[in-house]
Amino acid sequence: MEKRVLFRSTWLPWALLAPQLAIIGVFFFWPAGQALVQSFQLQDAFGISTEWVGFDNFRTLLRDPGYLESFKITALFSVLVAALGIGLSLLLAVFADRIVRGAMLYKTFLIVPYAVAPAVAGVLWLFMFSPRIGVVSYGLGKLGLDWNYLLDSDHAVALIIMVAIWNHLSYNFLFFLAGLQSIPKSLIEAAAIDGAGPWRRFWSIQFPLLSPTSFFLLVINVVYAFFNTFGIIDATTQGGPGQDTMILVYKVYMDGFKNGDLGGSAAQSVILMAIVIGLTVIQFRYIEKKVQY
């Protein structure tokens, strides 16, 4: 029988919810409302004069080839970060779940990257892949690959994708490992007795039971790729070379804080927020149907 908590007082539930509602209101709804209002305005860099321009900021953005190119870069970046990050972390979690000796040491090393801030992670990989002093770039040069993310856009995109995946790998790994360890061992043993090999056991038993975890991480990784990778971009490529790594969230910063286009930057943030909300709704609307709870 399901047990539910019943409050005799009508004000107590709202009092308990008040701190969280206040935090959401101050740090989400109020800034979102401010951005929505500013997206219909044209302001100078100092915010002294303001002119109501309606949808002109949005029309200008949709006619800007540089902004449309940012959509392609962001789409490629987010898909690769989410897909490769989830796939690689699932593989590592499967290996960690099967290790008997030294499992704690293995898991500890895989958790370490989550403690590193995105900007710090960008600096670390920047030193390793620096064309002049980087250890990895030196090794690649010995193999015949002239690595230079400052001049080659493909190298720059590859660099930020690798940093983003590495920085978020531990988060995905922890959830997948917890999901694997929550699967009853009796199911795995029964399948092994029936003659199912390791791959068959994983694909037929473990992977379907991990579908709620996979769906949750898919949503989280998409949001991470769109928003939380700002520090990585700023510490490594700063949108370059040219604008080949100028993803949407970094373009909001560049146009608003560097170029002084506050109205256009606000319009970009509104579009970015709408895209992420739309993707999340689509994921819950269609992909969640295939999730087995």
Side-chain angles (χ1 to χ4, degrees), residues 122-164:
V123 173
L124 291 175
W125 282 70
L126 186 66
F127 275 107
M128 291 190 298
F129 284 87
S130 173
R132 292 182 294 177
I133 62 173
V135 175
V136 178
S137 60
Y138 176 79
L140 293 174
K142 290 295 184 180
L143 296 176
L145 177 60
D146 186 16
W147 175 274
N148 193 338
Y149 73 92
L150 297 174
L151 300 176
D152 193 310
S153 61
D154 293 335
H155 293 175
V157 173
L159 176 62
I160 62 174
I161 289 175
M162 288 188 293
V163 180

Side-chain angles (χ1 to χ4, degrees), residues 7 57 66 79 103 145 175 210 227 240 250 279 283 290:
F7 294 94
N57 289 325
V79 168
L145 177 60
F175 277 92
L210 285 175
F227 290 105
Y250 196 75
L279 289 174
Q283 290 170 352
K290 299 182 181 180

Side-chain angles (χ1 to χ4, degrees), residues 89-98 173-185 188 201-202 205-207 209-210 213:
S89 58
L90 177 59
L91 180 64
L92 294 174
V94 171
F95 288 155
D97 188 47
R98 295 179 180 178
F173 168 78
L174 288 174
F175 277 92
F176 275 130
L177 183 62
L180 287 170
Q181 293 180 345
S182 66
I183 298 175
K185 299 299 181 183
I188 310 299
R201 293 197 300 268
F202 170 77
I205 298 176
Q206 292 177 303
F207 187 71
L209 293 176
L210 285 175
T213 304

Side-chain angles (χ1 to χ4, degrees), residues 200-263:
R200 185 64 178 176
R201 293 197 300 268
F202 170 77
W203 190 252
S204 300
I205 298 176
Q206 292 177 303
F207 187 71
L209 293 176
L210 285 175
S211 57
T213 304
S214 302
F215 174 72
F216 166 77
L217 290 178
L218 176 63
V219 177
I220 294 299
N221 277 262
V222 170
V223 175
Y224 163 77
F226 270 89
F227 290 105
N228 294 350
T229 53
F230 171 85
I232 294 173
I233 304 294
D234 192 52
T236 53
T237 63
Q238 296 182 349
Q243 293 188 355
D244 292 333
T245 57
M246 186 76 69
I247 64 174
L248 291 175
V249 66
Y250 196 75
K251 188 168 178 57
V252 171
Y253 163 75
M254 288 294 294
D255 289 352
F257 291 91
K258 295 291 186 178
N259 301 330
D261 184 9
L262 301 180

Side-chain angles (χ1 to χ4, degrees), residues 88-89 91-93 95-96 99 103-115 166-174 177:
L88 183 59
S89 58
L91 180 64
L92 294 174
F95 288 155
I99 290 178
M104 186 58 65
L105 181 64
Y106 178 78
K107 296 172 185 177
T108 302
F109 276 115
L110 286 174
I111 295 173
V112 168
Y114 190 60
W166 179 82
N167 191 229
H168 208 241
L169 190 69
S170 300
Y171 185 89
N172 299 333
F173 168 78
L174 288 174
L177 183 62

